[in-house]
Amino acid sequence: MDMPTVAIVGRPNVGKSTLFNRLVGKKLALVDDRPGVTRDRREGDVRFGGLHFRVIDTAGLEESDAATLMGRMRMQTEAAILAADVVLFVIDARAGVLPADQPFAELVRRAGCPVILIANKAEGGTGLSGAYEAFTLGLGDPIPFSAEHGEGLGELHDALKGVLPKPDPEDDEEDEDAPGGRSLKVAIVGRPNAGKSTLINRMLGEDRLLVGPEAGITRDSISLDWEWRGRKIKLHDTAGMRRRARIDDKLEKLAVSDGLRAVRFAEVVVVLLDATIPFEKQDLTIIDLVESEGRAVVIGLNKWDLVADQPGLLKQLREDCTRLLPQVRGVAVVPLSGLAGEGLDKLMQAVVQAAEVWDKRISTSRINDWLSEATSRNPPPAVSGRRIKIRYATQVKSRPPHFALFGNQLNALPKSYTRYLVNGLREAFELPGTPIRLSLRTSQNPFDKG
């Protein structure tokens, strides 16, 4: 599981960087009495009373034109909010709630993730009236806090424990520092009788899983540890997924939902197709589900030994894949035979490459160089005589790659143009086959007339 992310936000000089240093346990963030010292997002790993998360220190939120330095700092902060699992919204308890706090409280509310309100600089009971005033922000109960003196850490720990995503218990079993590092989690999914268990038995070199000609033998999502070329792999075989309307048996319904859990647990999902009848409607539905869950995808054409004598078939199937599955354009399509043990090495190479693409990070400067060229070559359309402007872009997450665009009137951007941008990102930064997420953030600045 990805480490959860906690973003510290608030207007300038409320003590965000002091809180960041307190959580990380070292002075990684520069702290000064002058507002606006932090200009970029700064990240650190935190182990805090059994909790483990990544914390992001952000620039102070200020209303500014997008083209200015302050405006770009604000965009970086908005990107951090977008990427966060939890937001720590910090106010200065001694100053109380200021008008500048309100628009940013609204921004954090709109992000839709859990918010913990921290009334900082309330050491020794001072500033408690300002802390109580924070109720007016509508972000829940404030925690009276002193980042400088460490007061309120117990209350903050309890609040974080209540809202941070729960780690998967299987994650705790793995030692990331052990030889071979962390296991790559791979789920094998597909229609019933696509040959999933036969493939896994061949990978493991032993008959670990029950197989047979009857469809639907596997009832459970089964987790198996394996090693490929020194790389630790955790394999999940899953029950065959069939259309809901065709599922009458209660046990099979449970098995299919267990298969969905395996997809959510996996980093890479191998969708196994029967090469003799590929790209059935159910195959496309399964791939669409894997993409919507944001997992890296590899398509395995199983039973290839039965059709290998048909010239040009592989090229045709890859073209069909591009046409039928534009949302995972460039996905690896690997012919193989689980029964004969052919193509397994190529399949695993594709799995490891898909994981690397899924986890890829691209610098903000490279993204904005690309954006400038893409919008010059094909400018966004005009709405009511006013051209849509995309001012800035950044990657807010990986696993899968998630990008945020900032500008004006982006809510009016046609789907065809967002498709153009996604395809451009995929091509420019070599992101074949992976789901790509795009968030559009329209400027709320009343002085930004575009």
Side-chain angles (χ1 to χ4, degrees):
M1 176 177 168
D2 241 348
M3 199 190 303
T5 301
V6 176
I8 304 173
V9 303
R11 59 183 175 75
N13 212 28
V14 291
K16 297 183 298 299
S17 294
T18 308
L19 173 58
F20 174 87
N21 287 340
R22 172 69 64 179
L23 289 172
V24 173
K26 345 174 197 183
K27 290 199 172 177
L28 293 183
L30 187 63
V31 179
D32 192 272
D33 287 337
R34 290 168 301 163
V37 168
T38 303
R39 289 192 166 180
D40 206 347
R41 292 181 292 167
R42 187 176 281 99
E43 300 185 10
D45 286 354
V46 176
R47 291 188 183 275
F48 180 27
L51 304 176
H52 191 196
F53 55 90
R54 178 172 292 112
V55 66
I56 303 176
D57 181 27
T58 64
L61 287 164
E62 288 191 90
E63 287 280 11
S64 303
D65 187 283
T68 65
L69 172 63
M70 291 305 296
R72 292 197 299 277
M73 286 161 59
R74 175 195 158 93
M75 286 173 179
Q76 280 281 330
T77 297
E78 286 193 24
I81 293 170
L82 196 66
D85 295 294
V86 179
V87 169
L88 303 183
F89 190 90
V90 185
I91 68 157
D92 182 337
R94 290 179 301 199
V97 175
L98 300 184
D101 291 310
Q102 294 288 355
F104 301 113
E106 178 59 31
L107 179 71
V108 168
R109 263 198 302 272
R110 280 203 311 270
C113 67
V115 181
I116 298 171
L117 181 58
I118 293 179
N120 194 29
K121 306 183 185 179
E123 50 266 14
T126 60
L128 279 180
S129 60
Y132 297 141
E133 202 179 304
F135 279 106
T136 62
L137 291 170
L139 296 174
D141 296 357
I143 297 175
F145 200 84
S146 170
E148 194 159 340
H149 299 94
E151 295 176 18
L153 282 171
E155 291 86 344
L156 176 57
H157 178 274
D158 292 345
L160 282 167
K161 192 175 179 182
V163 293
L164 279 172
K166 299 290 182 287
D168 194 301
E170 292 189 51
D171 284 352
D172 296 336
E173 297 167 13
E174 294 175 8
D175 181 3
E176 298 202 10
D177 298 322
R182 189 179 56 83
S183 295
L184 176 62
K185 301 181 185 75
V186 180
I188 314 280
V189 304
R191 285 183 289 122
N193 213 24
K196 298 180 293 296
S197 297
T198 303
L199 172 64
I200 289 184
N201 281 342
R202 178 60 71 169
M203 286 173 157
L204 298 171
E206 57 180 305
D207 289 343
R208 286 280 297 277
L209 304 177
L210 184 64
V211 296
E214 305 85 3
I217 286 180
T218 302
R219 292 287 197 186
D220 242 337
S221 168
I222 299 165
S223 172
L224 301 157
D225 290 313
W226 182 50
E227 198 167 292
W228 176 78
R229 291 191 180 181
R231 177 79 184 257
K232 293 198 306 190
I233 308 285
K234 192 178 278 290
L235 282 172
H236 285 260
D237 180 31
T238 61
M241 295 182 176
R242 64 178 87 210
R243 281 207 314 276
R244 233 174 248 287
R246 306 250 320 255
I247 302 174
D248 302 316
D249 183 66
K250 184 180 178 186
L251 186 59
E252 192 176 347
K253 281 182 182 172
L254 287 172
V256 170
S257 66
D258 205 32
L260 295 179
R261 182 190 174 279
V263 167
R264 289 172 183 140
F265 173 74
E267 294 163 300
V268 182
V269 178
V270 175
V271 182
L272 210 58
L273 311 188
D274 183 333
T276 63
I277 43 170
F279 297 117
E280 295 272 282
K281 186 178 177 187
Q282 185 62 4
D283 294 327
L284 302 179
T285 303
I286 291 169
I287 294 167
D288 202 45
L289 166 80
V290 174
E291 192 278 338
S292 69
E293 289 293 334
R295 298 299 175 254
V297 189
V298 171
I299 294 175
L301 293 172
N302 197 23
K303 309 181 186 179
W304 187 254
D305 47 327
L306 303 179
V307 295
D309 58 346
Q310 298 180 35
L313 180 61
L314 183 58
K315 184 184 177 193
Q316 178 60 51
L317 290 178
R318 282 178 171 150
E319 288 171 0
D320 290 348
C321 182
T322 301
R323 176 174 52 82
L324 295 167
L325 298 163
Q327 70 273 39
V328 287
R329 192 183 199 91
V331 64
V333 179
V334 183
L336 59 100
S337 168
L339 196 60
E342 296 166 359
L344 303 192
D345 213 48
K346 284 187 176 171
L347 177 69
M348 287 311 301
Q349 285 174 31
V351 164
V352 170
Q353 286 167 5
E356 288 170 357
V357 170
W358 187 65
D359 201 21
K360 200 167 191 177
R361 281 260 178 202
I362 301 151
S363 72
T364 298
S365 61
R366 286 182 66 205
I367 295 168
N368 283 286
D369 287 345
W370 162 82
L371 179 66
S372 176
E373 189 181 325
T375 52
S376 297
R377 190 167 55 240
N378 181 12
V383 177
S384 305
R386 187 180 172 210
R387 188 164 291 286
I388 296 171
K389 284 189 180 175
I390 306 173
R391 303 182 183 280
Y392 178 84
T394 189
Q395 184 177 359
V396 294
K397 276 186 181 177
S398 58
R399 304 163 69 92
H402 186 158
F403 301 90
L405 301 182
F406 299 86
N408 72 319
Q409 301 189 99
L410 295 192
N411 52 344
L413 208 59
K415 280 193 168 56
S416 58
Y417 198 82
T418 59
R419 272 198 306 273
Y420 161 71
L421 293 173
V422 167
N423 288 336
L425 284 163
R426 197 183 289 288
E427 192 175 325
F429 300 113
E430 298 178 347
L431 301 169
T434 201
I436 291 179
R437 302 289 183 253
L438 199 63
S439 296
L440 307 175
R441 314 295 285 177
T442 294
S443 169
Q444 301 298 312
N445 190 343
F447 301 105
D448 181 8
K449 301 299 181 188

mmCIF file of all heavy atoms in Angstrom, residues 6-33:
data_model
loop_
_atom_site.group_PDB
_atom_site.id
_atom_site.type_symbol
_atom_site.label_atom_id
_atom_site.label_comp_id
_atom_site.label_asym_id
_atom_site.label_seq_id
_atom_site.Cartn_x
_atom_site.Cartn_y
_atom_site.Cartn_z
ATOM 1 N N VAL A 6 -0.014 13.353 4.386
ATOM 2 C CA VAL A 6 -0.631 14.392 5.220
ATOM 3 C C VAL A 6 -0.057 15.741 4.795
ATOM 4 O O VAL A 6 1.166 15.926 4.818
ATOM 5 C CB VAL A 6 -0.352 14.138 6.720
ATOM 6 C CG1 VAL A 6 -0.907 15.274 7.573
ATOM 7 C CG2 VAL A 6 -0.946 12.799 7.157
ATOM 8 N N ALA A 7 -0.910 16.673 4.396
ATOM 9 C CA ALA A 7 -0.449 18.003 3.969
ATOM 10 C C ALA A 7 -0.731 19.026 5.066
ATOM 11 O O ALA A 7 -1.823 19.040 5.646
ATOM 12 C CB ALA A 7 -1.150 18.428 2.677
ATOM 13 N N ILE A 8 0.268 19.869 5.359
ATOM 14 C CA ILE A 8 0.103 20.952 6.332
ATOM 15 C C ILE A 8 -0.153 22.234 5.541
ATOM 16 O O ILE A 8 0.680 22.650 4.734
ATOM 17 C CB ILE A 8 1.370 21.126 7.192
ATOM 18 C CG1 ILE A 8 1.730 19.808 7.898
ATOM 19 C CG2 ILE A 8 1.184 22.248 8.205
ATOM 20 C CD1 ILE A 8 3.062 19.844 8.644
ATOM 21 N N VAL A 9 -1.320 22.852 5.742
ATOM 22 C CA VAL A 9 -1.654 24.064 4.985
ATOM 23 C C VAL A 9 -2.165 25.149 5.931
ATOM 24 O O VAL A 9 -2.563 24.895 7.065
ATOM 25 C CB VAL A 9 -2.707 23.782 3.883
ATOM 26 C CG1 VAL A 9 -2.238 22.709 2.929
ATOM 27 C CG2 VAL A 9 -4.044 23.382 4.485
ATOM 28 N N GLY A 10 -2.154 26.371 5.418
ATOM 29 C CA GLY A 10 -2.630 27.525 6.189
ATOM 30 C C GLY A 10 -2.017 28.789 5.616
ATOM 31 O O GLY A 10 -1.113 28.721 4.777
ATOM 32 N N ARG A 11 -2.499 29.947 6.079
ATOM 33 C CA ARG A 11 -1.920 31.190 5.565
ATOM 34 C C ARG A 11 -0.493 31.349 6.087
ATOM 35 O O ARG A 11 -0.064 30.603 6.978
ATOM 36 C CB ARG A 11 -2.817 32.380 5.925
ATOM 37 C CG ARG A 11 -3.036 32.567 7.387
ATOM 38 C CD ARG A 11 -3.988 33.725 7.680
ATOM 39 N NE ARG A 11 -4.253 33.787 9.107
ATOM 40 C CZ ARG A 11 -3.415 34.239 10.013
ATOM 41 N NH1 ARG A 11 -2.226 34.696 9.655
ATOM 42 N NH2 ARG A 11 -3.729 34.248 11.294
ATOM 43 N N PRO A 12 0.268 32.300 5.542
ATOM 44 C CA PRO A 12 1.682 32.424 5.939
ATOM 45 C C PRO A 12 1.871 32.702 7.430
ATOM 46 O O PRO A 12 1.041 33.359 8.073
ATOM 47 C CB PRO A 12 2.173 33.616 5.097
ATOM 48 C CG PRO A 12 1.244 33.680 3.936
ATOM 49 C CD PRO A 12 -0.092 33.228 4.460
ATOM 50 N N ASN A 13 2.969 32.170 7.970
ATOM 51 C CA ASN A 13 3.451 32.486 9.318
ATOM 52 C C ASN A 13 2.549 32.021 10.452
ATOM 53 O O ASN A 13 2.481 32.670 11.500
ATOM 54 C CB ASN A 13 3.708 33.998 9.456
ATOM 55 C CG ASN A 13 4.863 34.274 10.412
ATOM 56 O OD1 ASN A 13 5.760 33.462 10.562
ATOM 57 N ND2 ASN A 13 4.836 35.428 11.059
ATOM 58 N N VAL A 14 1.855 30.895 10.227
ATOM 59 C CA VAL A 14 1.051 30.352 11.338
ATOM 60 C C VAL A 14 1.796 29.207 12.041
ATOM 61 O O VAL A 14 1.284 28.650 13.011
ATOM 62 C CB VAL A 14 -0.333 29.849 10.847
ATOM 63 C CG1 VAL A 14 -1.200 31.006 10.410
ATOM 64 C CG2 VAL A 14 -0.199 28.803 9.754
ATOM 65 N N GLY A 15 3.003 28.851 11.541
ATOM 66 C CA GLY A 15 3.808 27.821 12.212
ATOM 67 C C GLY A 15 3.791 26.471 11.530
ATOM 68 O O GLY A 15 4.053 25.449 12.174
ATOM 69 N N LYS A 16 3.504 26.462 10.226
ATOM 70 C CA LYS A 16 3.430 25.177 9.507
ATOM 71 C C LYS A 16 4.780 24.457 9.494
ATOM 72 O O LYS A 16 4.860 23.247 9.734
ATOM 73 C CB LYS A 16 2.958 25.411 8.054
ATOM 74 C CG LYS A 16 1.553 25.988 7.952
ATOM 75 C CD LYS A 16 1.093 26.125 6.523
ATOM 76 C CE LYS A 16 1.957 27.077 5.705
ATOM 77 N NZ LYS A 16 1.977 28.447 6.226
ATOM 78 N N SER A 17 5.850 25.194 9.207
ATOM 79 C CA SER A 17 7.165 24.548 9.108
ATOM 80 C C SER A 17 7.657 24.068 10.472
ATOM 81 O O SER A 17 8.328 23.043 10.571
ATOM 82 C CB SER A 17 8.181 25.510 8.478
ATOM 83 O OG SER A 17 7.829 25.766 7.130
ATOM 84 N N THR A 18 7.307 24.799 11.532
ATOM 85 C CA THR A 18 7.667 24.340 12.883
ATOM 86 C C THR A 18 6.954 23.028 13.192
ATOM 87 O O THR A 18 7.542 22.101 13.769
ATOM 88 C CB THR A 18 7.289 25.416 13.929
ATOM 89 O OG1 THR A 18 7.845 26.664 13.530
ATOM 90 C CG2 THR A 18 7.808 25.055 15.309
ATOM 91 N N LEU A 19 5.681 22.928 12.786
ATOM 92 C CA LEU A 19 4.921 21.682 12.968
ATOM 93 C C LEU A 19 5.539 20.559 12.136
ATOM 94 O O LEU A 19 5.691 19.428 12.625
ATOM 95 C CB LEU A 19 3.454 21.905 12.570
ATOM 96 C CG LEU A 19 2.557 20.661 12.543
ATOM 97 C CD1 LEU A 19 2.521 19.976 13.900
ATOM 98 C CD2 LEU A 19 1.146 21.035 12.093
ATOM 99 N N PHE A 20 5.925 20.872 10.901
ATOM 100 C CA PHE A 20 6.573 19.882 10.029
ATOM 101 C C PHE A 20 7.833 19.338 10.705
ATOM 102 O O PHE A 20 8.036 18.124 10.801
ATOM 103 C CB PHE A 20 6.918 20.547 8.690
ATOM 104 C CG PHE A 20 7.726 19.689 7.746
ATOM 105 C CD1 PHE A 20 7.099 18.809 6.874
ATOM 106 C CD2 PHE A 20 9.117 19.762 7.724
ATOM 107 C CE1 PHE A 20 7.840 18.026 5.991
ATOM 108 C CE2 PHE A 20 9.863 18.987 6.852
ATOM 109 C CZ PHE A 20 9.217 18.111 5.979
ATOM 110 N N ASN A 21 8.686 20.245 11.200
ATOM 111 C CA ASN A 21 9.931 19.821 11.863
ATOM 112 C C ASN A 21 9.629 18.970 13.100
ATOM 113 O O ASN A 21 10.329 18.003 13.391
ATOM 114 C CB ASN A 21 10.766 21.033 12.253
ATOM 115 C CG ASN A 21 11.415 21.703 11.045
ATOM 116 O OD1 ASN A 21 11.554 21.093 9.993
ATOM 117 N ND2 ASN A 21 11.787 22.964 11.186
ATOM 118 N N ARG A 22 8.599 19.347 13.838
ATOM 119 C CA ARG A 22 8.215 18.616 15.046
ATOM 120 C C ARG A 22 7.808 17.182 14.674
ATOM 121 O O ARG A 22 8.192 16.226 15.363
ATOM 122 C CB ARG A 22 7.056 19.345 15.738
ATOM 123 C CG ARG A 22 6.421 18.626 16.908
ATOM 124 C CD ARG A 22 7.307 18.510 18.124
ATOM 125 N NE ARG A 22 7.655 19.794 18.713
ATOM 126 C CZ ARG A 22 8.414 19.915 19.799
ATOM 127 N NH1 ARG A 22 8.899 18.836 20.388
ATOM 128 N NH2 ARG A 22 8.713 21.107 20.274
ATOM 129 N N LEU A 23 7.041 17.006 13.605
ATOM 130 C CA LEU A 23 6.573 15.675 13.210
ATOM 131 C C LEU A 23 7.699 14.823 12.643
ATOM 132 O O LEU A 23 7.823 13.641 12.955
ATOM 133 C CB LEU A 23 5.440 15.798 12.174
ATOM 134 C CG LEU A 23 4.102 16.313 12.698
ATOM 135 C CD1 LEU A 23 3.139 16.566 11.547
ATOM 136 C CD2 LEU A 23 3.476 15.330 13.690
ATOM 137 N N VAL A 24 8.534 15.443 11.797
ATOM 138 C CA VAL A 24 9.620 14.694 11.155
ATOM 139 C C VAL A 24 10.724 14.380 12.164
ATOM 140 O O VAL A 24 11.443 13.390 12.036
ATOM 141 C CB VAL A 24 10.170 15.483 9.939
ATOM 142 C CG1 VAL A 24 11.398 14.825 9.341
ATOM 143 C CG2 VAL A 24 9.089 15.606 8.875
ATOM 144 N N GLY A 25 10.862 15.232 13.175
ATOM 145 C CA GLY A 25 11.863 14.994 14.205
ATOM 146 C C GLY A 25 13.217 15.566 13.886
ATOM 147 O O GLY A 25 14.193 15.315 14.553
ATOM 148 N N LYS A 26 13.310 16.368 12.798
ATOM 149 C CA LYS A 26 14.559 17.071 12.482
ATOM 150 C C LYS A 26 14.200 18.392 11.838
ATOM 151 O O LYS A 26 13.094 18.564 11.346
ATOM 152 C CB LYS A 26 15.440 16.303 11.490
ATOM 153 C CG LYS A 26 15.119 14.887 11.258
ATOM 154 C CD LYS A 26 15.967 14.283 10.153
ATOM 155 C CE LYS A 26 15.335 12.994 9.660
ATOM 156 N NZ LYS A 26 16.057 12.300 8.681
ATOM 157 N N LYS A 27 15.169 19.293 11.833
ATOM 158 C CA LYS A 27 14.925 20.609 11.242
ATOM 159 C C LYS A 27 15.185 20.558 9.733
ATOM 160 O O LYS A 27 16.184 21.046 9.245
ATOM 161 C CB LYS A 27 15.791 21.669 11.914
ATOM 162 C CG LYS A 27 15.362 21.951 13.325
ATOM 163 C CD LYS A 27 15.879 23.283 13.823
ATOM 164 C CE LYS A 27 15.267 23.607 15.174
ATOM 165 N NZ LYS A 27 15.765 24.845 15.743
ATOM 166 N N LEU A 28 14.213 19.951 9.014
ATOM 167 C CA LEU A 28 14.346 19.888 7.563
ATOM 168 C C LEU A 28 13.799 21.164 6.920
ATOM 169 O O LEU A 28 14.225 21.567 5.853
ATOM 170 C CB LEU A 28 13.572 18.690 7.008
ATOM 171 C CG LEU A 28 14.112 17.298 7.376
ATOM 172 C CD1 LEU A 28 13.281 16.230 6.697
ATOM 173 C CD2 LEU A 28 15.560 17.146 6.951
ATOM 174 N N ALA A 29 12.800 21.767 7.561
ATOM 175 C CA ALA A 29 12.181 22.963 6.986
ATOM 176 C C ALA A 29 12.790 24.211 7.609
ATOM 177 O O ALA A 29 13.011 24.282 8.817
ATOM 178 C CB ALA A 29 10.669 22.939 7.233
ATOM 179 N N LEU A 30 13.076 25.198 6.791
ATOM 180 C CA LEU A 30 13.590 26.482 7.257
ATOM 181 C C LEU A 30 12.474 27.221 7.992
ATOM 182 O O LEU A 30 11.353 27.308 7.514
ATOM 183 C CB LEU A 30 14.049 27.291 6.040
ATOM 184 C CG LEU A 30 14.767 28.607 6.284
ATOM 185 C CD1 LEU A 30 16.073 28.373 7.017
ATOM 186 C CD2 LEU A 30 15.036 29.289 4.946
ATOM 187 N N VAL A 31 12.779 27.720 9.167
ATOM 188 C CA VAL A 31 11.771 28.417 9.969
ATOM 189 C C VAL A 31 12.246 29.836 10.254
ATOM 190 O O VAL A 31 13.405 30.056 10.601
ATOM 191 C CB VAL A 31 11.516 27.663 11.304
ATOM 192 C CG1 VAL A 31 10.506 28.393 12.150
ATOM 193 C CG2 VAL A 31 11.060 26.240 11.028
ATOM 194 N N ASP A 32 11.356 30.809 10.100
ATOM 195 C CA ASP A 32 11.714 32.197 10.339
ATOM 196 C C ASP A 32 10.438 32.951 10.690
ATOM 197 O O ASP A 32 9.339 32.512 10.363
ATOM 198 C CB ASP A 32 12.358 32.797 9.073
ATOM 199 C CG ASP A 32 13.005 34.150 9.358
ATOM 200 O OD1 ASP A 32 12.307 35.176 9.255
ATOM 201 O OD2 ASP A 32 14.200 34.167 9.679
ATOM 202 N N ASP A 33 10.595 34.087 11.373
ATOM 203 C CA ASP A 33 9.416 34.887 11.726
ATOM 204 C C ASP A 33 8.803 35.574 10.523
ATOM 205 O O ASP A 33 7.662 36.020 10.576
ATOM 206 C CB ASP A 33 9.781 35.950 12.777
ATOM 207 C CG ASP A 33 10.014 35.307 14.144
ATOM 208 O OD1 ASP A 33 9.481 34.196 14.339
ATOM 209 O OD2 ASP A 33 10.714 35.909 14.972
#
